[in-house]
Amino acid sequence: MKKLKLLLSTAICLVIFQNCKKEKTYPDPTPYSMEVPSYFPILDIPEENPMTVEGIALGRRLYYDPIMDKNGVNSCSSCHNTASAFTTASSNSLAHINLAWGKYFLWNGKVEGSLEDIMQFEVDVFFQTDLSKLEASEELKDMFGAAFGSNLISSENAAKALAQFARLLTSKDSKYDKAITPQSWVYLNDSEQRGYDIFFSEKGDCFHCHGGPLFTDGLFHNNGLDSSPSSGREGITKNNLDQGKYKTPTLRNVELTMPYMHDGRFQTLEEVIEFYSTGLKSSTTVDPLMKNVERGGLQLNSQEKSDLLNFLKTLTDTTFTNNPALSNPL
């Protein structure tokens, strides 16, 4: 009888120990305040997923860790690396730049909503993350605990952490940004200024889709690539008026985010500028903003092409691409 009582007592202690271990308590996460330029749009951060030091650290780890992939091969960084301003030439993925202000995600806008929504898609659909692999890591369990108060790992919290890190991928320190900040004492040279004038005037018409501090309207356009355009946004909305429409990519760091267009058909910025100058093609759904389509494009001369190219290069932000806080922590 004494032996039985001892066994029962041991079993009860083991259960209590396991429950205590499972319900390990963590201090409240440390709030993190994002700093964005005053000329950027207001940043809307969901109340249910505030930015925290611990949440960002977890999101950064998950962004670079192939453990998120059910096959353990790829990570977010496989298609979005720092040297290419968080895209890659091989994937032709939209760059992860200033996504905090996005509403539509992917070239055709398949996912709509917040960063939490697109990251939930990445976890559940794209990577099909096997949560048991994450749960097998005591380090990750502690990181989840530090970020969310519980070391019980869920796809929802994984998506929230990734969203927090993705909000941090903010490009705001290019030569252009310095030039519009009076106290920086940085100026565009003559060619860059002429390119600026082309970009932000009817001469170039670039600003209609790529205007504002984000250099994208975040919407969908048929920009005259083909006379018989591919499906594009139509594949999502089922509206034939959306044929050939694709999301406007940001032009921030455009010098680094080759290839260009939704299908990566152009390898250089010179090719892109030449397309808008002489290569536009008319179709039934071409955007009215492509008002020079009937004559093939803007018809820029060689000097204007060179000036526009030089202005686009002022959007390169090496502070962003070299930021150690955004690099691989593994």
Side-chain angles (χ1 to χ4, degrees), residues 253-316:
N253 295 290
V254 68
E255 181 183 10
L256 307 176
T257 57
M258 71 289 290
Y260 305 103
M261 306 301 165
H262 69 277
D263 53 6
R265 68 178 65 187
F266 300 132
Q267 298 301 310
T268 68
L269 280 176
E270 287 85 350
E271 290 179 88
V272 174
I273 292 172
E274 188 59 47
F275 160 71
Y276 282 112
S277 183
T278 63
L280 295 183
K281 295 179 176 63
S282 183
S283 66
T284 56
T285 59
V286 70
D287 200 290
L289 292 172
M290 302 290 109
K291 52 182 177 287
N292 294 293
V293 66
E294 296 304 329
R295 60 190 186 112
L298 301 169
Q299 303 298 318
L300 301 176
N301 62 39
S302 58
Q303 182 65 63
E304 290 167 334
K305 294 174 189 176
S306 178
D307 292 339
L308 183 55
L309 176 65
N310 288 334
F311 170 71
L312 291 174
K313 289 181 177 180
T314 71
L315 303 180
T316 300

Side-chain angles (χ1 to χ4, degrees), residues 60-66 75 77 82 86 326-330:
R60 179 184 175 192
R61 167 66 182 270
L62 298 180
Y63 192 91
Y64 286 97
D65 199 335
S75 66
S77 62
T82 55
F86 291 91
L326 307 180
S327 64
N328 189 343
L330 297 174

Side-chain angles (χ1 to χ4, degrees), residues 126-168:
F126 187 80
F127 285 122
Q128 299 180 38
T129 303
D130 182 350
L131 296 181
S132 67
K133 293 181 180 178
L134 277 65
E135 291 165 350
S137 168
E138 289 300 322
E139 180 185 4
L140 282 177
K141 288 172 70 174
D142 268 341
M143 291 184 77
F144 271 88
F148 298 107
S150 171
N151 62 5
L152 297 179
I153 294 176
S154 68
S155 65
E156 180 182 5
N157 281 345
K160 284 183 175 180
L162 284 167
Q164 288 189 45
F165 178 67
R167 282 195 175 90
L168 211 61

